[in-house]
Amino acid sequence: QQHHSLGDIHLLQHIYQAKSNEATMKTSVAILATAILSTASAFTVRQQHQLHPSSASSRLSSPLFMAEDGEEKAAPLVSGEQLEMLMTDWDTPLVVDAYATWCGPCLLMAPEFEEAAKELKGKVRFAKLDTDKDEQMAARLNIMGLPTLLFLDQYKAKEGEEPNPDARAVLKGKIEGALRKDNIKELCEFYFFDGPEPKAF
């Protein structure tokens, strides 16, 4: 969901059938990540085109990433391809809010997510993925409930572990349900900066 596609995260395809309004059958593909590193999933991307390091950052200045008043959003809306681009640049960890515009809890959490993004700017990147507009990416990320927060960080092989040359990102955590700003920040500290494990929300 950007000019340059990075290919698929090493995945397992699961094909299922669904009836359409005209009672015809169409096939949808739900793709699940398969590379598992201990308790975290390692996402891999296959590079098909040479990428310029500034490509992802330059996109953040487009109207897609701006609020109605013209101010740049701390948690911009991204497409699936743009999300793949973000997962190739690991200066800072990444939190993704998978949501839908019709989802009440998603709308309630939206300002909390934006505020958390503002307060952690420079330490953690935040992005939003509309699962209705990017169904394929939502399936690849195995989004089952809304909203879902994905906490992603750079893949690094553990000591004594054989490195995976194709791995780019590790899923450190996945939380379903709306959270407050402080809860989101606590989870970032826990997953990314060795902070204390948050208490039940």
Side-chain angles (χ1 to χ4, degrees), residues 8-57:
D8 290 333
I9 300 168
H10 281 175
L11 307 164
L12 174 67
Q13 293 188 339
H14 173 66
I15 300 178
Y16 63 94
Q17 301 290 331
K19 287 188 177 181
S20 69
N21 292 335
E22 294 81 13
T24 60
M25 303 295 291
K26 69 178 182 180
T27 302
S28 299
V29 180
I31 309 176
L32 307 180
T34 57
I36 305 298
L37 299 177
S38 60
T39 59
S41 302
F43 289 88
T44 61
V45 288
R46 185 171 59 253
Q47 195 164 353
Q48 293 180 335
H49 302 282
Q50 184 174 357
L51 301 173
H52 299 285
S54 61
S55 297
S57 58

Side-chain angles (χ1 to χ4, degrees), residues 37-159:
L37 299 177
S38 60
T39 59
S41 302
F43 289 88
T44 61
V45 288
R46 185 171 59 253
Q47 195 164 353
Q48 293 180 335
H49 302 282
Q50 184 174 357
L51 301 173
H52 299 285
S54 61
S55 297
S57 58
S58 64
R59 288 275 167 182
L60 299 182
S61 300
S62 71
L64 177 66
F65 297 88
M66 298 295 181
E68 291 181 358
D69 58 4
E71 181 182 356
E72 184 176 331
K73 296 179 182 179
L77 173 66
V78 299
S79 66
E81 287 184 8
Q82 289 167 332
L83 179 57
E84 286 184 303
M85 286 291 292
L86 291 175
M87 288 194 292
T88 66
D89 180 9
W90 288 110
D91 289 340
T92 54
L94 174 65
V95 182
V96 179
D97 172 19
Y99 78 102
T101 56
W102 48 262
C103 166
C106 300
L107 299 179
L108 288 173
M109 189 179 72
E112 302 285 331
F113 191 74
E114 177 70 13
E115 285 302 311
K118 288 179 180 178
E119 294 188 15
L120 292 177
K121 186 175 182 179
K123 292 181 61 179
V124 181
R125 294 171 297 162
F126 286 71
K128 296 173 67 69
L129 180 75
D130 188 331
T131 56
D132 285 335
K133 291 183 178 178
D134 289 284
E135 294 181 357
Q136 184 178 14
M137 176 57 76
R140 290 169 58 186
L141 296 174
N142 196 26
I143 303 301
M144 304 299 291
L146 297 174
T148 292
L149 294 183
L150 303 174
F151 296 81
L152 298 155
D153 205 353
Q154 184 177 17
Y155 163 74
K156 294 180 181 178
K158 296 181 179 180
E159 186 175 353

